[in-house]
Amino acid sequence: QVQLVESGGGLVQPGGSLRLSCAASGATLDDYTIGWFRQAPGKEREAVSCIEGIEGSDGSTYYADSLKGRFTISRDKAKNTVYLQMNSLKPEDTAVYYCAADLSSWYKFFLLDRDEFDYYGQGTQVTVSS
């Protein structure tokens, strides 16, 4: 059974940084597009970033337009782990961040609701506040 386990969330002041980790177990997810989405209270799910993993892809990375330049996604295939480096955090970045994996293109990944992903984790809370 595939499991995605997020870690690295917490409380940080505006302007600070956090690095989230997503460790996959139960299967190698090299062929999956894997990434992050977030959900804040009272708001809809928002895609954050993903690394395309379908066959033939060069592992291209994609970001929500509003987050480009502040967030960086990376993947360590040897560790079956994906990371999200978040810099210059703002209060509006406060949300539960979920790791997800799906056998789809990045475009579809950005459109899926939580329950539509092949796999997703339990989420990790990120709170940006002074």
Side-chain angles (χ1 to χ4, degrees):
Q1 183 177 355
V2 175
Q3 282 192 315
L4 301 178
V5 179
E6 304 97 333
S7 61
L11 173 64
V12 63
Q13 292 186 342
S17 299
L18 282 174
R19 188 176 82 153
L20 305 183
S21 299
C22 171
S25 63
T28 300
L29 299 180
D30 289 359
D31 292 333
Y32 285 74
T33 294
I34 188 165
W36 300 86
F37 66 94
R38 66 186 185 184
Q39 188 153 21
K43 295 186 178 180
E44 293 190 354
R45 174 208 62 81
E46 179 185 17
V48 173
S49 179
C50 69
I51 295 177
E52 199 165 38
I54 57 176
E55 186 174 357
S57 167
D58 62 356
S60 298
T61 58
Y62 301 87
Y63 299 91
D65 287 343
S66 62
L67 301 176
K68 288 180 181 177
R70 295 196 297 124
F71 288 16
T72 303
I73 191 171
S74 60
R75 184 175 194 166
D76 186 332
K77 288 191 175 183
K79 295 183 177 180
N80 220 17
T81 299
V82 173
Y83 304 97
L84 184 69
Q85 178 67 43
M86 306 186 295
N87 298 328
S88 302
L89 284 163
K90 305 175 182 180
E92 52 263 43
D93 293 319
T94 295
V96 178
Y97 285 69
Y98 296 88
C99 177
D102 199 80
L103 273 174
S104 64
S105 66
W106 72 269
Y107 183 76
K108 182 181 176 186
F109 186 97
F110 268 52
L111 296 177
L112 292 175
D113 288 328
R114 187 180 69 174
D115 293 340
E116 295 176 323
F117 287 103
D118 290 332
Y119 307 107
Y120 61 91
Q122 82 288 350
T124 186
Q125 176 71 46
V126 172
T127 302
V128 184
S129 175
S130 55

